Amino acid sequence: MDRDLIRNFSIIAHIDHGKSTLADRLLEETGTLTAREKTDQFLDKMELERERGITIKAQAVRLKYRADDGKNYILNLIDTPGHVDFTYEVSRSLTACEGAMLVVDASQGVEAQTLANVYLALDQNLEIFAVLNKIDLPSADPLRVKAEIEEIIGLDTIDAVEASAKEGIGIHDILEEIVHKVPAPKGDETAPLKALIFDSWYDAYQGVIILVRIFDGTLKKGDKIQLMANKKTYEVLKMGVFSPHPVEMASLGAGEVGFVIAGIKVVADAKVGDTITHLHRPTETPLPGFKVVKPMVFSGLYPIDTSDYDLLRDALEKLRLNDASFSFEPETSLALGFGFRCGFLGLLHMEIIQERLEREFGVDLITTAPTVIYKVTTTGGELLQVESANKLPEVQFIERIEEPFILASIHVPNEFVGAVLSLCEEKRGIQREIKYLTANRVMVVYELPLNEIVLDFYDRLKSISRGYASLDYEHLDFRESQLVRLNILINGEVVDALSLIVHRDKSQYRGRDLVTKMKEFIPRQQFEVAIQAAIGTKVIARETVKALRKDVTAKCYGGDISRKRKLLEKQKEGKKRMKQVGNVELPQEAFLAILKVK
Ligand code: GTP
């Protein structure tokens, strides 16, 4: 394979700026997709992704393109996941490329995620060129957006193609730009093998499928390989490229991108960022940048119908086969029964997994409020990692608690800056910077505790900015903080599923809020029900559900038998959806309503 004719590139864009639509157009223009396949966005494989309009799995597609110079090029389009939870995966996919096409919506302009991705691409020393998409829209203003790109990113836009993925405008020019702007890959075919894993997933028939970029050496079918991070060895059973359907090949050389199947059973053994080398002629140093990603956000997942427990466990196991960054372990709750404590990279990752469980596996779930991971030092000098309020030791045993902080960059039009600042202040933010990118676009940078972000920050941000604000964040560090465990008690019994770790200053408000909400959902019973919020033994809020005045069922017992039976049937049905806390029966909806953090 002539390396000079290879171009490895990626498309980077803010969510919804048209990356997938544009990618499909490139496939179409180069004849990679047949007419029948055009209807669907091919790169967004899973149904779920299509519905949510986001790209989760990175993919690599080989396009053949005969350029205006008469030469036949191989263009490897490497798709990247489009959300902040997957920054590490994005950075590994970008490492596999020499260039990146920056797509900016000509009616919107530069957004937080545009910038975050540009920085990632710059970190990998990629050649970047801009494309303005959606010029068919009446509100498109390519001149303004070009000026913005020059001003904010410092990228020359003199050659920037004005395109419409929807109308198919500018697609040929984009292909020419790829050929001319993206450098050909370098590498030594005769050197020891160095191949980067930039994506991997589980396939029921083939086992784990790995996407690789070969930097040095040549990989052949039948080769004995070693994965450098975990030292495990395998034999290459099958390899090839996606075009976009799999095409088997006997070898892949330096500069090339393709898939490898080597009898690997779980994705955790083929981690993104790891280096593959030959067992018998290994490279001395792995490729830099490998990292084991750890879950940052946790929540309890419980089946609504307790008989679904096994189904849920099987489903979680299946998901973990395919997702090395997702974790789970059994957990029991007095109020919710048997379930699992699950760890996710971030909120979106959490939502995706929950949705897949409900949709693909048919398990109805109750999800407890998301929490982050805390570092707790006990008075005995022990260091604990606590990811659930119920595991937080009693206050007298805690020496100090540290919580994770993030650095958030929020992009917002001028008129909403005030609202964004007050939201960040309310969320215990520390202001780092307010920067006017252009006359009307502002970048607000705050240090924020992740614990405040996981509750409702993103939704609040969107609503106060009428959807215009965009958020990007990176993890900073752990900081000591005045955190307490807030318990909700029903007639003196702690409802473990509702316990929260909150900042002391917020505890009063949160406690009152929870108690009031709880009251709405608890039906009157034969006796008075006290709902309290407490920190340790100190009650900070209380509501009471008054007892029923008289026994309404009493009069039925004198009546006819069929009515009585009906009543009993009804009660039985109702029971299923009740959870017992102490002597009080709580309707399932009470938990659903309170725990649904929307
Ligand atoms: P993520 O996968 O979430 O990163 O989004 P994306 O950047 O891949 O965006 P996608 O291609 O899904 O497009 C987002 C929306 O913009 C869709 O509704 C597209 O139909 C629409 N869209 C894409 N390109 C154009 C265009 O050139 N003009 C117009 N008018 N709409 C477009």
Side-chain angles (χ1 to χ4, degrees):
M1 174 88 244
D2 184 355
R3 262 203 310 279
D4 285 343
L5 297 177
I6 300 178
R7 298 291 182 270
N8 298 316
F9 74 104
S10 165
I11 307 179
I12 57 180
H14 186 74
I15 287 173
D16 275 349
H17 281 199
K19 187 175 77 172
S20 309
T21 316
L22 203 53
D24 281 356
R25 284 287 175 178
L26 296 180
L27 265 64
E28 214 179 292
E29 181 86 10
T30 52
T32 316
L33 269 192
T34 61
R36 194 170 51 80
E37 291 164 333
K38 282 177 199 165
T39 43
D40 284 344
Q41 287 194 344
F42 194 86
L43 294 183
D44 278 1
K45 221 180 187 175
M46 289 189 273
E47 177 203 10
L48 179 72
E49 289 181 28
R50 201 154 42 229
E51 275 179 34
R52 298 180 67 106
I54 49 165
T55 314
I56 301 157
K57 279 228 83 64
Q59 300 250 3
V61 183
R62 174 186 280 221
L63 318 175
K64 288 189 186 137
Y65 175 60
R66 188 179 176 82
D68 290 353
D69 63 10
K71 293 182 189 157
N72 290 313
Y73 290 86
I74 295 274
L75 313 180
N76 291 313
L77 163 55
I78 294 168
D79 199 19
T80 58
H83 191 276
V84 352
D85 286 356
F86 306 105
T87 301
Y88 172 71
E89 282 79 357
V90 177
S91 81
R92 294 307 87 202
S93 294
L94 292 177
T95 313
C97 306
E98 276 72 33
M101 172 160 110
L102 171 68
V103 176
V104 183
D105 184 331
S107 69
Q108 302 282 332
V110 174
E111 302 278 351
Q113 194 113 50
T114 319
L115 262 190
N117 284 323
V118 165
Y119 290 142
L120 283 174
L122 288 174
D123 283 347
Q124 311 302 329
N125 294 317
L126 299 196
E127 202 57 51
I128 303 175
F129 64 96
V131 168
L132 287 101
N133 190 32
K134 306 200 189 182
I135 53 153
D136 59 287
L137 289 176
S139 55
D141 189 352
L143 280 182
R144 172 183 70 84
V145 174
K146 276 188 196 175
E148 231 179 73
I149 295 173
E150 300 220 338
E151 221 176 299
I152 301 170
I153 302 174
L155 193 67
D156 189 356
T157 56
I158 199 151
D159 298 329
V161 178
E162 295 182 13
S164 162
K166 191 171 164 204
E167 310 275 325
I169 303 168
I171 309 301
H172 176 79
D173 293 344
I174 292 177
L175 288 163
E176 287 296 313
E177 282 281 286
I178 296 167
V179 166
H180 294 115
K181 290 276 163 70
V182 180
K186 296 194 181 68
D188 181 354
E189 301 233 321
T190 58
L193 178 69
K194 237 186 228 230
L196 172 78
I197 301 181
F198 64 89
D199 196 8
S200 66
W201 67 92
Y202 181 79
D203 180 280
Y205 300 103
Q206 312 276 358
V208 173
I209 301 179
I210 299 174
L211 289 183
V212 292
R213 156 71 199 264
I214 317 272
F215 281 89
D216 279 328
T218 305
L219 182 62
K220 296 194 188 71
K221 192 173 162 176
D223 281 356
K224 293 259 188 313
I225 53 168
Q226 181 167 57
L227 273 53
M228 294 183 81
N230 65 12
K231 303 271 182 283
K232 291 194 179 167
T233 59
Y234 301 92
E235 182 185 326
V236 177
L237 304 174
K238 243 184 225 178
M239 58 190 300
V241 296
F242 290 112
S243 189
H245 303 286
V247 180
E248 280 194 52
M249 299 180 90
S251 74
L252 287 170
E256 291 195 88
V257 167
F259 70 85
V260 173
I261 295 168
I264 302 174
K265 299 280 186 307
V266 286
V267 282
D269 283 339
K271 289 209 168 79
V272 169
D274 198 358
T275 304
I276 299 179
T277 193
H278 278 130
L279 181 62
H280 300 301
R281 193 186 163 220
T283 175
E284 277 171 17
T285 46
L287 294 156
F290 175 69
K291 206 165 83 174
V292 178
V293 286
K294 293 208 181 73
M296 290 301 291
V297 175
F298 292 81
S299 90
L301 263 47
Y302 291 85
I304 286 187
D305 185 343
T306 46
S307 63
D308 276 349
Y309 180 81
D310 289 333
L311 185 65
L312 176 58
R313 193 194 43 227
D314 290 349
L316 290 171
E317 256 155 29
K318 284 210 182 92
L319 288 178
R320 186 163 58 184
L321 269 183
N322 210 355
D323 187 344
S325 46
F326 159 65
S327 71
F328 69 94
E329 58 179 56
E331 177 182 73
T332 34
S333 151
L334 290 176
L336 301 178
F338 294 101
F340 298 91
R341 191 89 198 150
C342 302
F344 312 93
L345 292 175
L347 282 186
L348 178 88
H349 189 209
M350 180 171 100
E351 271 179 42
I352 291 169
I353 297 227
Q354 283 167 8
E355 268 191 50
R356 291 189 62 182
L357 286 169
E358 299 205 325
R359 191 187 317 212
E360 290 172 32
F361 298 95
V363 198
D364 286 329
L365 295 170
I366 298 191
T367 310
T368 62
T371 144
V372 301
I373 200 151
Y374 298 94
K375 289 185 177 171
V376 178
T377 313
T378 64
T379 43
E382 205 184 344
L383 184 68
L384 307 173
Q385 304 254 3
V386 174
E387 78 302 319
S388 152
N390 299 310
K391 288 194 190 150
L392 193 69
E394 291 299 332
V395 61
Q396 65 270 28
F397 300 117
I398 297 175
E399 179 75 36
R400 61 198 231 119
I401 307 184
E402 288 164 272
E403 64 174 332
F405 264 68
I406 58 160
L407 186 66
S409 306
I410 300 160
H411 281 230
V412 64
N414 209 357
E415 56 193 296
F416 304 113
V417 170
V420 168
L421 293 184
S422 20
L423 176 66
C424 290
E425 294 294 329
E426 181 198 319
K427 298 290 183 186
R428 303 192 279 127
I430 302 161
Q431 198 183 101
R432 271 266 193 102
E433 196 181 358
I434 300 179
K435 195 164 150 192
Y436 277 78
L437 298 174
T438 64
N440 187 37
R441 296 195 59 81
V442 185
M443 179 167 82
V444 176
V445 182
Y446 261 82
E447 294 172 10
L448 282 156
L450 183 60
N451 136 324
E452 299 282 346
I453 302 289
V454 298
L455 281 177
D456 60 352
F457 185 84
Y458 193 64
D459 291 335
R460 293 268 309 276
L461 184 66
K462 283 283 172 195
S463 78
I464 58 168
S465 66
R466 294 216 307 272
Y468 282 111
S470 54
L471 166 76
D472 183 67
Y473 70 81
E474 58 183 279
H475 291 286
L476 272 182
D477 49 17
F478 280 80
R479 295 180 191 178
E480 186 167 1
S481 190
Q482 295 300 314
L483 297 161
V484 292
R485 168 161 147 196
L486 178 71
N487 286 329
I488 299 297
L489 293 85
I490 305 281
N491 277 359
E493 298 253 1
V494 173
V495 187
D496 56 2
L498 297 181
S499 295
L500 280 178
I501 296 179
V502 289
H503 194 266
R504 190 174 285 283
D505 296 347
K506 293 284 180 72
S507 56
Q508 199 82 24
Y509 162 78
R510 271 249 132 72
R512 205 169 304 130
D513 186 45
L514 273 173
V515 163
T516 320
K517 268 201 208 143
M518 210 57 196
K519 184 183 174 185
E520 281 172 37
F521 291 101
I522 299 183
R524 288 169 132 201
Q525 322 230 348
Q526 306 292 352
F527 43 83
E528 199 176 86
V529 177
I531 313 163
Q532 297 167 308
I535 296 169
T537 52
K538 189 168 158 245
V539 174
I540 56 170
R542 177 190 166 118
E543 287 282 349
T544 309
V545 181
K546 293 246 161 38
L548 286 168
R549 279 225 193 85
K550 59 179 179 207
D551 188 356
V552 284
T553 56
K555 62 172 175 252
C556 294
Y557 288 100
D560 73 277
I561 186 76
S562 69
R563 234 178 110 193
K564 192 169 150 193
R565 195 173 292 139
K566 245 189 213 153
L567 192 81
L568 286 174
E569 283 298 315
K570 248 197 180 147
Q571 265 182 2
K572 226 165 102 191
E573 223 169 71
K575 268 245 159 51
K576 270 207 305 214
R577 276 177 277 114
M578 290 296 205
K579 298 280 179 185
Q580 187 89 25
V581 175
N583 58 352
V584 183
E585 286 197 326
L586 299 182
Q588 185 97 62
E589 296 84 71
F591 291 99
L592 288 176
I594 288 172
L595 294 173
K596 264 256 124 72
V597 195
K598 269 284 163 229

